[in-house]
């Protein structure tokens, strides 16, 4: 769960250190404030805490230094290229059958998908990641995002169509 949360924070903040801090702070808040809750409620609560922490980070950053925030969001961090291979390497049985060429190709495709995800508007990216990466249902995603279920469906649909068009334009069909 923490690796997925970290990737979600990375897509939003474009900064590894900040993402690590946000995920750690969100986990601490969850443990301190909601440790007595049933285990099935914790993933949704964590998502809500993480999203609020990310929004608070951006509010503070904007107040402190607007120009730094704008410039940092335009400059992608080249260190992220290693992360997709970690995700692919997590498939225990399947990774042994893959050739280096297949792994390289998959790594390139994942890097392209991640870069296209980073280009999505924040609410679309948030809804898309919660629905399809975190595998939350529409109601849970709506509760975590603080919006209606219809808004979640709209954001997910727009994100899916945008990603599909961007990948098709690059000659990638999944």
């Amino acid at each position: 769960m923490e690796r997925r949360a970290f990737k979600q924070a990375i897509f939003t903040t474009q900064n590894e250190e900040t993402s690590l801090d946000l995920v750690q702070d969100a986990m601490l808040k969850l443990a301190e404030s909601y440790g007595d809750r049933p285990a099935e409620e914790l993933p949704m609560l964590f998502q809500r805490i993480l999203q609020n922490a990310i929004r608070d980070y951006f509010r503070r950053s904007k107040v402190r230094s607007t120009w730094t925030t704008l410039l940092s969001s335009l400059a992608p961090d080249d260190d992220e290229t290693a992360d997709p291979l970690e995700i692919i390497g997590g498939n225990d049985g399947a990774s042994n059958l893959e050739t280096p060429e297949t792994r390289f190709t998959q790594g390139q495709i994942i890097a392209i998908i991640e870069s296209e995800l980073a280009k999505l508007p924040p609410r679309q990216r948030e809804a898309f990641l919660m629905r399809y990466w975190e595998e939350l249902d529409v109601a849970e995603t709506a509760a975590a995002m603080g919006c209606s279920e219809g808004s979640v469906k709209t954001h997910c649909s727009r994100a899916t169509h945008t990603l599909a068009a961007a990948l098709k334009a690059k000659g990638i069909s999944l």
Side-chain angles (χ1 to χ4, degrees), residues 4-84:
R4 292 188 317 237
F6 172 70
K7 290 298 271 183
Q8 189 174 358
I10 275 272
F11 286 137
T12 306
T13 64
Q14 299 292 318
N15 185 309
E16 185 175 342
E17 291 82 17
T18 302
S19 298
L20 286 169
D21 289 342
L22 289 171
V23 171
Q24 182 178 357
D25 290 345
M27 287 185 174
L28 286 172
K29 285 180 185 175
L30 179 70
E32 290 171 355
S33 302
Y34 301 102
D36 57 340
R37 296 282 181 102
E40 56 273 357
E41 288 182 18
L42 296 180
M44 191 172 78
L45 285 170
F46 177 73
Q47 284 300 319
R48 185 64 177 185
I49 292 169
L50 180 62
Q51 292 307 317
N52 286 339
I54 290 170
R55 284 189 194 99
D56 289 344
Y57 163 76
F58 280 115
R59 286 184 193 119
R60 284 190 305 271
S61 295
K62 188 173 184 178
V63 169
R64 288 182 187 150
S65 57
T66 302
W67 65 271
T68 304
T69 303
L70 292 174
L71 291 178
S72 67
S73 67
L74 295 176
D77 192 3
D78 291 339
D79 294 336
E80 292 177 11
T81 56
D83 290 338

Side-chain angles (χ1 to χ4, degrees), residues 79-114:
D79 294 336
E80 292 177 11
T81 56
D83 290 338
L85 295 177
E86 291 177 13
I87 295 170
I88 294 173
N91 301 336
D92 297 332
S95 63
N96 296 337
L97 303 175
E98 296 175 348
T99 64
E101 179 183 355
T102 305
R103 288 185 62 125
F104 177 74
T105 304
Q106 286 177 339
Q108 285 184 323
I109 290 172
I110 288 174
I112 291 170
I113 291 171
E114 286 181 347

